[in-house]
Amino acid sequence: MIITVASGKGGTGKTTVAVNLALATDAKLYDCDVEEPNANIFIKANLQKIEDVFLMNPSFDLNKCTFCKKCAEFCAYNAIAVLPSDILFFPELCSGCGGCKIVCEHDAITEGKKKIGEIYHGKNEVEIYQGILNIGEARAVPIITKLKSYVNKQNTSILDAPPGNGCPAIEAMHGADFVILVTEPTPFGLHDLKIAINIVRKLEIPFGVIINRYGIGDEGVEKYCKEDGIEILMKIPYSRKIAELYSAGIPFVKEMKEWKRNFIEMYEAIK
Amino acid sequence: MRQIAVASGKGGTGKTSIVASFASLTEAVFADCDVDAPNLHLILKPEIMERIPYKGMKVARIDEEKCTECGACQRACRFNAIENFKVMEEKCEGCKVCTLVCPVNAISMYERVTGHIYTANTRFGNFVYGLLEAGEEASGKLVAQVRQKAREVAEKKGIDLIIIDSPAGIGCPVIASIGNTDLVIIVAEPTMAAIHDMERILSVAEHFKIRAVVVVNKYDINEGMTEKIERFCKEKGIDIVGKIPFNKKFTEAMVKGLNIVEYDENIAESMRKIWNKIENKLK
Ligand code: SF4
Ligand code: SF4
């Protein structure tokens, strides 16, 4: 079973939930927040690199090129500009789709690989896989896709999604059996939760909501969930102790044993 | 024209609350570039002047009638966007490669309105923001257009400062938000996770040669970690322009739809000091 923990708004406690849930249920953890991976701060596994992630990039043979502009006209990302006797290529815009190579009639384009990130694996109390995007690279999705190739449906796999509602978050939810949306009880939390719910509904994945830092804001999130018939899976109260443990990189199920039960019960209910 | 971006790496460190407070402290065009989870409008309460449709990337669609189920498109699509001879629009990147390889011309590209750009008036002045429809791609492109619009508004109104609320992370929409700005303000938190993320976003700023300063939010939830941030910044030669204590009033203000400067005079004073330091950096 694949459970993705997502959130819409950042900093609501996604990683906290994913890590504690994985520890409580002895599941495999996949850190899909490849822009800012944090889960291993809590798991503290000795990570080993298992794979590089590449994006294909064209290169141009100016001896064969006739400067016909077909490639530039085709490229949907404006990554190529053809001058009368030169080609300008903008790698940061290139999606690696490979289209320019197909349209070139003079065999002037070859494709090379450009490294954009890495996949790591390690084990401490639980097994963890982590993807990481290289600094300055824009495309997180191919790394998440690669990371997901290590997910085995037979096991319980917890995916920690990136924040937001953009393509990387969607890629982390795609193919999941269940999505846990972590939010906080504030107007910001509610606003971004609504967007996230729209996405999960579009993807037709069953989901439930966890309200973290329960008690800090207002009743908006709870009211909204009630009125819309959305299941609230768990409420984690705002507590100085949880916040302190978090800041020091300690999963709170380890120090507050009653929470281990709560996570196991929630997992049983989801199953 | 000077442009400042407020970013954080990690989400939820208080970026938007800080940007919203600047609205009370200076004249600027505010631009919310967190287009897939925008929040600034919840505080600024815009009165919308203009709503501009945003067309993202085109997406492919397969004509079932013509499709012979040969599978050429599925093999060619590098984004795994085609399954069972259907295009999953949320995965399609609009590259058009499938249209090239389809032997029976069954695939064509469609343009759709996938979001909007709004220009608005608020009780503080001018505001531009973008909103992507749920689950749509190409937010980097929308960010670029929001910033373009903000520049137009600023030029028209004779305002020479733009303040940008950037999304979390370090990828495409973040690069689009902080690229070519004069200064990026990184909002950090004294937690191990946030420090790790701060280091990465600072590297991104360095990579694109953008000057960065740091604000430590909720610095008193773990003073040891705050010292760690201070040491790190000192080594790197990055200025910390402010430290903000944890205070429930930030959430209270948010619940009331106010920024912290409007809500609490004492905190307003310290926010003013932070803003003055930032302004000095721009000189
Ligand atoms: S591979 Fe695709 S995105 Fe990259 S330059 Fe060629 S056509 Fe453009
Ligand atoms: S346009 Fe590109 S990404 Fe979209 S389905 Fe076709 S090949 Fe795949």
Side-chain angles (χ1 to χ4, degrees):
Chain A
M1 175 175 204
I2 302 171
I3 301 175
T4 297
V5 185
S7 77
K9 179 171 162 23
T12 56
K14 231 180 318 72
T15 302
T16 303
V17 168
V19 164
N20 284 297
L21 178 61
L23 285 170
T25 61
D26 198 21
K28 288 192 177 158
L29 184 60
Y30 297 81
D31 193 347
C32 298
D33 188 358
V34 302
E35 295 176 45
E36 298 286 20
N38 286 149
N40 197 48
I41 290 176
F42 301 89
I43 300 296
K44 301 183 171 66
N46 182 8
L47 294 179
Q48 304 290 335
K49 187 168 91 177
I50 48 173
E51 199 176 344
D52 287 326
V53 185
F54 297 97
L55 198 66
M56 298 302 272
N57 252 189
S59 45
F60 304 84
D61 181 344
L62 293 184
N63 292 322
K64 289 184 180 164
C65 178
T66 64
F67 309 99
C68 72
K69 297 200 172 128
K70 286 237 163 66
C71 56
E73 279 157 15
F74 177 80
C75 179
Y77 312 93
N78 301 316
I80 310 171
V82 180
L83 307 177
S85 62
D86 200 4
I87 298 235
L88 294 180
F89 174 63
F90 304 95
E92 66 282 4
L93 298 177
C94 175
S95 72
C97 70
C100 47
K101 182 169 186 265
I102 301 176
V103 294
C104 180
E105 287 164 5
H106 307 282
D107 209 18
I109 300 180
T110 46
E111 278 192 292
K113 289 175 173 177
K114 170 188 171 205
K115 188 175 149 189
I116 58 165
E118 295 167 342
I119 308 287
Y120 286 83
H121 171 253
K123 190 169 182 339
N124 193 2
E125 280 140 299
V126 294
E127 239 179 285
I128 176 169
Y129 289 84
Q130 178 198 74
I132 190 155
L133 178 70
N134 283 0
I135 298 292
E137 289 299 338
R139 294 182 174 269
V141 171
I143 298 174
I144 301 171
T145 310
K146 181 59 84 186
L147 180 65
K148 280 168 65 188
S149 70
Y150 290 93
V151 173
N152 180 344
K153 272 222 172 220
Q154 257 61 60
N155 302 321
T156 305
S157 304
I158 313 287
L159 275 58
D160 184 5
N165 295 303
C167 7
I170 294 167
E171 178 63 14
M173 294 190 235
H174 221 274
D177 300 303
F178 194 88
V179 172
I180 297 175
L181 294 172
V182 185
T183 187
E184 59 176 34
T186 64
F188 288 8
L190 174 60
H191 179 267
D192 298 346
L193 174 69
K194 286 184 191 165
I195 302 177
I197 287 174
N198 271 331
I199 294 176
V200 189
R201 285 194 170 141
K202 254 195 195 166
L203 296 173
E204 297 177 6
I205 306 171
F207 69 97
V209 168
I210 291 185
I211 308 179
N212 191 18
R213 294 192 206 103
Y214 187 69
I216 57 160
D218 58 9
E219 280 80 55
V221 169
E222 237 180 326
K223 247 173 83 190
Y224 175 77
C225 289
K226 235 172 239 154
E227 276 162 21
D228 219 352
I230 294 160
E231 189 183 356
I232 296 177
L233 302 163
M234 184 184 264
K235 294 172 190 164
I236 305 173
Y238 176 75
S239 112
R240 179 108 198 168
K241 175 136 193 233
I242 292 178
E244 276 167 11
L245 288 170
Y246 175 85
S247 77
I250 301 167
F252 69 85
V253 290
K254 284 195 175 172
E255 303 282 323
M256 302 159 86
K257 292 285 183 240
E258 67 279 16
W259 279 96
K260 188 166 175 181
R261 273 240 63 77
N262 295 344
F263 276 102
I264 293 172
E265 274 165 24
M266 182 185 77
Y267 173 67
E268 293 298 328
I270 290 172
K271 256 201 330 194
Chain B
M1 178 98 49
R2 300 163 308 159
Q3 299 191 55
I4 301 179
V6 182
S8 70
K10 181 165 162 41
T13 58
K15 235 181 318 95
T16 301
S17 293
I18 290 174
V19 174
S21 74
F22 292 161
S24 285
L25 301 172
T26 186
E27 190 183 28
V29 174
F30 285 80
D32 192 350
C33 289
D34 193 356
V35 293
D36 56 66
N39 287 148
L40 191 54
H41 66 285
L42 298 175
I43 305 295
L44 301 189
K45 303 213 181 70
E47 184 197 321
I48 291 163
M49 308 303 287
E50 204 184 348
R51 181 173 186 261
I52 309 150
Y54 162 75
K55 298 192 186 92
M57 298 304 288
K58 291 181 180 175
V59 291
R61 220 170 273 169
I62 301 176
D63 182 342
E64 274 175 46
E65 303 275 281
K66 287 191 191 161
C67 175
T68 60
E69 307 203 340
C70 73
C73 56
Q74 269 163 231
R75 287 189 296 274
C77 175
R78 294 215 174 138
F79 308 101
N80 306 314
I82 309 179
E83 230 171 56
N84 299 322
F85 315 103
K86 280 212 176 64
V87 176
M88 292 176 278
E89 292 194 352
E90 71 279 3
K91 293 194 102 183
C92 174
E93 297 247 359
C95 71
K96 306 178 289 185
V97 162
C98 50
T99 64
L100 282 181
V101 300
C102 176
V104 293
N105 279 325
I107 310 180
S108 29
M109 303 301 294
Y110 285 82
E111 188 163 65
R112 300 162 313 149
V113 171
T114 57
H116 287 89
I117 297 166
Y118 300 91
T119 67
N121 274 334
T122 75
R123 63 191 183 283
F124 309 104
N126 297 285
F127 179 38
V128 179
Y129 64 112
L131 185 54
L132 210 55
E133 254 155 56
E136 294 297 346
E137 305 257 348
S139 49
K141 195 174 162 195
L142 177 53
V143 166
Q145 292 188 13
V146 169
R147 286 186 60 185
Q148 175 56 33
K149 196 73 209 173
R151 267 194 302 274
E152 283 169 33
V153 171
E155 267 159 29
K156 207 161 81 199
K157 302 273 165 86
I159 298 167
D160 83 326
L161 179 63
I162 294 173
I163 299 182
I164 297 162
D165 192 356
S166 156
I170 63 160
C172 139
V174 178
I175 294 173
S177 297
I178 70 172
N180 292 317
T181 56
D182 301 285
L183 184 71
V184 49
I185 301 164
I186 311 289
V187 182
E189 246 177 30
T191 65
M192 278 178 81
I195 294 176
H196 168 261
D197 295 355
M198 171 194 78
E199 292 180 18
R200 281 174 59 82
I201 181 82
L202 281 170
S203 310
V204 174
E206 200 182 315
H207 181 94
F208 291 103
K209 302 193 171 57
I210 308 162
R211 205 147 57 104
V213 294
V214 166
V215 171
V216 187
N217 196 11
K218 306 178 200 155
Y219 80 88
D220 52 348
I221 56 169
N222 189 330
E223 308 224 13
M225 292 282 172
T226 296
E227 277 165 30
K228 214 173 145 187
I229 296 177
E230 288 170 326
R231 248 177 287 132
F232 176 86
C233 289
K234 201 165 174 199
E235 260 167 43
K236 288 260 171 187
I238 293 160
D239 282 345
I240 294 181
V241 291
K243 293 200 292 183
I244 304 169
F246 174 78
N247 197 321
K248 282 204 173 125
K249 289 195 168 138
F250 278 91
T251 312
E252 285 168 26
M254 186 208 289
V255 167
K256 294 221 156 63
L258 297 172
N259 74 28
I260 194 71
V261 174
E262 295 171 291
Y263 188 71
D264 186 282
E265 269 176 38
N266 290 328
I267 305 178
E269 214 17 68
S270 38
M271 294 308 295
R272 189 165 290 122
K273 283 192 190 131
I274 294 174
W275 174 253
N276 288 341
K277 280 198 189 156
I278 292 166
E279 215 168 28
N280 280 330
K281 294 272 167 204
L282 288 174
K283 280 177 187 151

